[in-house]
Every structure is written in structure tokens, then in C-alpha cells.
Amino acid sequence: SQKIEQNSEALNIQEGKTATLTCNYTNYSPAYLQWYRQDPGRGPVFLLLIRENEKEKRKERLKVTFDTTLKQSLFHITASQPADSATYLCALDKGYSSASKIIFGSGTRLSIRP
Amino acid sequence: DAGITQSPRHKVTETGTPVTLRCHQTENHRYMYWYRQDPGHGLRLIHYSYGVKDTDKGEVSDGYSVSRSKTEDFLLTLESATSSQTSVYFCAISDTNTGELFFGEGSRLTVL
């Protein structure tokens, strides 16, 4: 069966360091991989999408890598700040016009301490 | 702001009662989705719609029904709520050009 795993349920790091979150998957061939941020009591918010033929994508302090051989994506936040504290979800997408085949990981709760 | 509103935002009900959650969008998107989110399970798709009166089942559709009589409204109904349906429910729309999902703020349902 299809499976998507995010490396840890919670991650605590010092402000200013780089946070690295991992998303691994099995039995799935995604065309895209997406990352979302979710704050407590709120809905997820889209951050980045990376295609299967892209190795790396950046947006401000965010960087995502996608290795289809390892079946893994890494999500980095550089120069982390307490405001980056949130739960981060990865999602696999087959790239159909409908999002009905997207599957989500259960998330990693990131805490940045001052 | 993607223009998605969910109602009610919080609801407590008793086992066996019917419950309807409403999702309203102002973006005129074709696709709308209902997810539930539970600890350790991530977001799981319940039902989705690809147009007015066009709906299909998702991964966890048992015990739920949906209706879409207008482009802007997508209703999720629990005909007879059970305690296992206690969850946070999210409505979403998708941008078919980018694949991006836009979520509502969620509806927290507690079934006693």
C-alpha cells in the first residue's frame, strides 16, 4: 500500500540554525511533491511544490529537494526563527487535474527556541 | 486569502444525530474537497467534487455523503454521527494549473 512518512513527529532546534525535515514514501510514483505549513487551529497553507524532474527548489529561506531514486524529499528552513514554529506537512501528487490522488504525511511539528 | 469559509467552526453533537458541514468558496473553482484530520493520520480525503452535482468518494468515505448544488457550496453530511467521526474537518479547493490546495479554517466536530 502507499505510504508516506515524515521523519519525526516533533523537532526542536535553536533559533538561527537550519531546520531539516524529511519526507519518505513507498509504493507511489509522484509527479509532484508539495509542502504545507499548518499553525494550531488553522488550515494548511501551501509553501512549495517541486516536480519529479527538479532536484531542488528555493523560496526565500526555504529549500526543498526531491530525490525520486531515494523516494525522499528534504525541506530546509535556513536562519530559522521562532515564527517558523508550526507543523509542516508533505504531500505527494500524481499531477492529475484533480487533487483526489494527493496523499499527505502526518506532519512534523517544528519548534524554534529563542 | 483563498475565499473559503466553513461553518460551523465548532460543533458538539450526540451519537446518532445527523450533522451537516458547509463549505463556501468565492473563487469559482471547479474542484472542492472534504478532508478529515486526526492525530497520527494526516489529512485523509473523504469526498470530492469536480463540478455541480458531480462527486466521488475518497479514501475514507464510509458514513459520509456530500452534495454540490451550486459551484460555490459543498456540503458534507453525516447521516448518523458516531464517536469515530470526532475529528477536524477541512474543506479545500484546488488550482488545477498549479496543483496547489487552498484550505478552509476547519470545523471541529465532537460526537459524544
Side-chain angles (χ1 to χ4, degrees):
Chain A
S1 62
Q2 300 167 355
K3 197 171 180 183
I4 179 170
E5 284 186 342
Q6 296 193 236
N7 62 321
S8 58
E9 196 173 312
L11 186 64
N12 295 291
I13 68 166
Q14 184 77 39
E15 181 178 7
K17 302 290 187 184
T18 295
T20 298
L21 284 63
T22 304
C23 179
N24 295 294
Y25 61 93
T26 56
N27 298 323
Y28 197 96
S29 298
Y32 310 127
L33 193 144
Q34 303 183 25
W35 284 90
Y36 289 80
R37 169 183 173 140
Q38 187 174 21
D39 292 290
R42 308 293 297 275
V45 174
F46 173 81
L47 294 175
L48 280 169
L49 178 150
I50 185 166
R51 292 175 171 76
E52 60 178 336
N53 60 352
E54 296 176 316
K55 296 286 188 214
E56 181 180 299
K57 199 147 192 188
R58 292 175 185 260
K59 179 183 176 182
E60 298 172 354
R61 293 184 296 109
L62 307 180
K63 185 178 87 170
V64 172
T65 63
F66 192 12
D67 189 326
T68 55
T69 302
L70 291 178
K71 295 186 185 298
Q72 181 182 79
S73 174
L74 299 179
F75 177 82
H76 306 273
I77 305 175
T78 58
S80 60
Q81 304 166 1
D84 295 325
S85 298
T87 295
Y88 292 85
L89 310 175
C90 68
L92 302 177
D93 183 357
K94 283 191 178 287
Y96 301 146
S97 57
S98 155
S100 61
K101 300 301 183 188
I102 291 179
I103 60 171
F104 285 85
S106 55
T108 296
R109 189 172 64 253
L110 177 65
S111 297
I112 310 296
R113 59 182 185 275
Chain B
D1 187 356
I4 306 172
T5 54
Q6 294 184 225
S7 60
R9 294 290 314 280
H10 300 272
K11 186 170 181 67
V12 180
T13 192
E14 294 188 350
T15 297
T17 59
V19 175
T20 295
L21 306 180
R22 178 178 181 251
C23 178
H24 179 79
Q25 62 148 330
T26 58
E27 307 296 316
N28 201 37
H29 280 278
R30 177 183 172 193
Y31 290 96
M32 298 184 74
Y33 311 83
W34 275 107
Y35 290 89
R36 61 177 289 173
Q37 188 174 40
D38 304 287
H41 285 279
L43 286 157
R44 292 181 292 174
L45 183 66
I46 305 171
H47 281 281
Y48 70 101
S49 170
Y50 46 97
V52 173
K53 296 193 187 333
D54 292 323
T55 64
D56 206 347
K57 296 179 180 179
E59 179 190 355
V60 290
S61 59
D62 287 349
Y64 302 94
S65 62
V66 290
S67 65
R68 191 164 177 203
S69 59
K70 298 185 289 185
T71 299
E72 57 267 34
D73 290 326
F74 192 31
L75 304 181
L76 177 70
T77 297
L78 291 66
E79 300 290 347
S80 178
T82 67
S83 58
S84 64
Q85 293 176 311
T86 292
S87 187
V88 181
Y89 292 86
F90 287 98
C91 175
I93 59 177
S94 61
D95 184 324
T96 53
N97 293 320
T98 66
E100 179 180 346
L101 282 164
F102 300 91
F103 288 87
E105 292 298 302
S107 296
R108 181 174 293 276
L109 175 66
T110 301
V111 183
L112 301 175

